[in-house]
Amino acid sequence: MRAYDLEVTGSLITTGSLKVVGDITAEQYQIRTTITQVTMSAVSGSSRFGDSVDDTHIFTGSLSNSGSISSNGN
């Protein structure tokens, strides 16, 4: 494989993938993105949400239950 130096004195725009093998040095670092992540999970067994008593979980849409629900607070 042959190595090349590339110097750009303007904008570098790619419409495909950019793979860098080595270091990237930048005077400014900016990331702009419009990524939307949708995650769907199906779980069975015991599930625990949150790690403290002041966590808030909001469900939008429908929530159905076929077992028991218990609460130790409001």
Side-chain angles (χ1 to χ4, degrees), residues 53-69:
V53 296
D54 61 345
D55 286 345
T56 301
H57 300 279
I58 300 170
F59 296 92
T60 58
S62 300
L63 178 64
S64 63
N65 178 51
S66 62
S68 63
I69 295 178

Side-chain angles (χ1 to χ4, degrees), residues 3-70:
Y4 294 95
D5 288 334
L6 174 66
E7 183 175 333
V8 178
T9 56
S11 297
L12 176 63
I13 299 171
T14 179
T15 57
S17 299
L18 177 64
K19 180 179 181 180
V20 176
V21 178
D23 297 331
I24 296 176
T25 303
E27 292 179 10
Q28 281 189 345
Y29 180 71
Q30 297 179 3
I31 296 178
R32 295 186 183 124
T33 183
T34 57
I35 295 174
T36 301
Q37 181 177 349
V38 177
T39 302
M40 297 180 70
S41 298
V43 296
S44 63
S46 298
S47 299
R48 175 176 287 177
F49 294 98
D51 57 0
S52 68
V53 296
D54 61 345
D55 286 345
T56 301
H57 300 279
I58 300 170
F59 296 92
T60 58
S62 300
L63 178 64
S64 63
N65 178 51
S66 62
S68 63
I69 295 178
S70 63

